[in-house]
Amino acid sequence: MSADSDSLFERLLPPSLDGSNGESAIEQQHAELKRNRLLRRLSQSALLVCIGILLLWSLQMAGFWKEEWIQYWPEFTEALTQYFPPALYFDLIPFVDVGRYYQFWVEEGLVGEAGITLAIALAGTIVGAPLALLFGILGNERVTPFPFNFLFRGVMSIIRSIPSLVWALIYVPLGGISPVTATLAIGTDTIGELGRLLTDELEEIDDGPIEGIRSTGASKPQVITFGMITQIVRPFIAWAMFILENNVRSAVGLGIIGAGGLGVTLSIEQQTFKFTNMMATILFIVVLVLSVEMISQRTRSYLRGDDDEEQLSLYELIVGFPERMSKSLLK
């Protein structure tokens, strides 16, 4: 009788109080953890293998394994000494001959060329910003009912999908590659980029002010002006300053194909193999772009608050410059 009662008591115990069941549960959990870890490692290994295959395929398609560029390596190392001409300061300290850069800046009047580049970017931004605001508003469902609002969003998407360089080529019949066509290209690109950002901003505004203005019997244009636009004034200026940063870099890229400004000087010096002057021009471009970015960041920080806008140090601006420049050239 006592044996039967003991077995019945053991069956009634919960698994956590039963020694054998508890050990088996722990072993199952341990085995499951090991299995999950193994699957995770296998999936990570498979991902790395896929990335490696894609890398090899990309290098093959780009002709990376050809020997031509390796044959030119000695010429590249020789060009480096022209990019960064050496000099001895105080007859003791070896460093780059900065004086040659500065001499080229003065002789070629790069300040004036920088003014052309900045003017193209500013004019393009100012021309495109009002139209970007218009398309951003019309792309909002509060203003244009679904699905007609997607017509305006589609137009902005099409504009964004075409790089500013291609827009400049489209405008060539208006007068060739010139500062005028470059300005129109940047202005068109601004409509797509800034308009899409403003559409997203308008999606997040409060309905309270809109309903308040509508309750006074205001017309639809008045509701849009005083109920919607007033809520995105600061974001509009902040995003416009951000777009201006990109437009300055785009203006340099358009200058390389002959649209004027620093890009033309850079292209000429590269074609004549004057690598010291070429590097001097690049450094001047870096100074111009970083100055615009610094002003833009501080302006956006003031408008949005320090918590909303991340402050980049001068070191981060300089280190991240090549990536930002390449992205702007590919836009």
Side-chain angles (χ1 to χ4, degrees):
M1 184 69 178
S2 60
D4 294 338
S5 61
D6 291 340
S7 61
L8 178 61
F9 178 74
E10 291 176 356
R11 288 197 299 270
L12 292 176
L13 282 175
S16 59
L17 298 180
D18 185 15
S20 59
N21 292 338
E23 291 178 358
S24 62
I26 293 175
E27 290 176 355
Q28 290 178 0
Q29 291 180 357
H30 182 67
E32 185 177 355
L33 289 174
K34 290 178 64 177
R35 185 166 52 254
N36 291 336
R37 189 183 300 114
L38 178 61
L39 290 175
R40 185 164 56 251
R41 289 178 178 176
L42 289 175
S43 61
Q44 292 173 352
S45 299
L47 179 61
L48 290 175
V49 170
C50 291
I51 293 175
I53 294 174
L54 287 175
L55 174 61
L56 293 175
W57 176 80
S58 301
L59 293 176
Q60 178 67 31
M61 294 298 293
F64 191 81
W65 305 120
K66 296 181 180 179
E67 297 181 356
E68 284 82 357
W69 70 273
I70 300 177
Q71 295 174 357
Y72 287 103
W73 184 258
E75 297 184 12
F76 175 72
T77 55
E78 181 181 353
L80 285 177
T81 60
Q82 299 181 45
Y83 285 135
F84 307 101
L88 281 177
Y89 291 87
F90 307 106
D91 297 327
L92 182 63
I93 304 174
F95 196 67
V96 179
D97 191 355
V98 181
R100 294 183 60 179
Y101 295 153
Y102 179 75
Q103 182 181 1
F104 178 74
W105 292 357
V106 175
E107 290 178 352
E108 295 297 323
L110 290 193
V111 174
E113 297 298 324
I116 296 175
T117 299
L118 187 59
I120 292 173
L122 277 171
T125 305
I126 294 173
V127 168
L131 293 174
L133 179 61
L134 176 62
F135 274 77
I137 293 173
L138 293 177
N140 187 271
E141 193 172 352
R142 294 186 180 94
V143 178
T144 306
F146 177 85
F148 300 104
N149 61 320
F150 276 91
L151 294 176
F152 299 98
R153 294 195 178 200
V155 171
M156 290 186 288
S157 297
I158 293 173
I159 292 174
R160 293 174 63 206
S161 65
I162 300 176
S164 57
L165 179 64
V166 178
W167 280 116
L169 297 178
I170 293 174
Y171 290 127
V172 163
L174 289 176
I177 301 294
S178 65
V180 175
T181 53
T183 301
L184 292 175
I186 289 178
T188 305
D189 190 65
T190 299
I191 295 173
E193 296 291 338
L194 183 57
R196 189 67 182 86
L197 293 171
L198 293 177
T199 300
D200 293 337
E201 288 288 343
L202 287 168
E203 295 291 343
E204 300 177 3
I205 61 176
D206 295 331
D207 291 329
I210 299 175
E211 296 299 330
I213 297 295
R214 187 177 288 124
S215 65
T216 62
S219 61
K220 192 168 185 178
Q222 291 174 329
V223 172
I224 294 173
T225 303
F226 300 104
M228 298 177 63
I229 296 180
T230 54
Q231 295 190 60
I232 62 166
V233 171
R234 288 190 176 186
F236 173 70
I237 298 174
W239 283 122
M241 294 298 295
F242 174 75
I243 294 298
L244 176 62
E245 295 178 21
N246 294 329
N247 287 345
V248 171
R249 292 190 289 267
S250 297
V252 174
L254 293 175
I256 293 176
I257 64 172
L262 291 173
V264 172
T265 304
L266 179 62
S267 178
I268 293 174
E269 300 305 321
Q270 186 273 329
Q271 292 173 4
T272 55
F273 301 102
K274 296 179 180 179
F275 298 121
T276 302
N277 298 342
M278 178 182 170
M279 182 55 64
T281 308
I282 292 174
L283 292 177
F284 202 89
I285 291 172
V286 171
V287 172
L288 172 65
V289 174
L290 291 183
S291 299
V292 174
E293 286 191 2
M294 195 81 75
I295 296 172
S296 174
Q297 278 198 356
R298 296 302 176 263
T299 303
R300 286 184 283 137
S301 175
Y302 173 77
L303 292 172
R304 291 186 168 183
D306 294 335
D307 294 336
D308 295 334
E309 182 66 28
E310 181 183 358
Q311 296 286 343
L312 296 181
S313 64
L314 181 61
Y315 172 78
E316 292 172 328
L317 285 174
I318 295 175
V319 171
F321 174 79
E323 179 182 358
R324 297 191 300 274
M325 188 70 191
S326 62
K327 288 181 178 179
S328 295
L329 293 177
L330 294 174
K331 281 180 58 180

